[in-house]
Amino acid sequence: MVNVVANKAEKLFEAELKKHGLTVALWPTMMCLWEEEGVTQRDIAEKSKVENSTTTRTLDKLEKLGLVERRDDPNSRRSYRIYLTEQGKAIKETLIPIPVAVNQQVLSSLNEQEQKQIIALLQKMVAAI
């Protein structure tokens, strides 16, 4: 049942992100960079819990979209530091409300007490993973 709800939420989220030229796959990297810029590709892969090769493709896509840029790492000639462009910074205010709205939509069939209860239970499940 959790999978059914998660799939519905992902489809809603994907549809909203698509309006801005993004996908759910790009979201974790943008979230990492909104938290902290100037990190390495490896840092992003670790934080978003994906393979380094996947992060490479994600960064390529975000760079083509004009949202991030790679800069030489002064500490290593073989790696880059990743920074948001002005466009990448500006889009944050538009995008951050989207998952909040999706969550509200998915939870809308529950009353306030039920919403609090399901959120607490899901948080407990996530913490145990």
Side-chain angles (χ1 to χ4, degrees), residues 28-51:
T29 299
M30 291 301 293
M31 289 292 295
C32 286
L33 291 169
W34 287 327
E35 277 183 25
E36 180 182 10
E37 289 187 80
V39 295
T40 65
Q41 178 177 317
R42 179 170 291 157
D43 295 333
I44 293 170
E46 287 175 12
K47 283 184 182 180
S48 57
K49 296 178 177 42
V50 297
E51 295 293 322

Side-chain angles (χ1 to χ4, degrees), residues 93-113:
E93 299 308 314
T94 303
L95 297 182
I96 289 295
I98 293 173
V100 174
V102 168
N103 284 341
Q104 288 173 342
Q105 187 175 349
V106 171
L107 293 169
S108 66
S109 64
L110 304 175
N111 66 40
E112 187 176 341
Q113 178 61 31

Side-chain angles (χ1 to χ4, degrees), residues 53-79:
S53 59
T54 302
T55 304
T56 300
R57 289 190 298 276
T58 299
L59 290 171
D60 288 345
K61 290 175 186 172
L62 290 170
E63 202 167 29
K64 284 181 185 173
L65 290 169
L67 299 176
V68 303
E69 63 184 13
R70 292 174 169 106
R71 297 182 194 164
D72 291 334
D73 185 340
N75 303 319
S76 171
R77 295 186 323 183
R78 296 185 337 174
S79 68

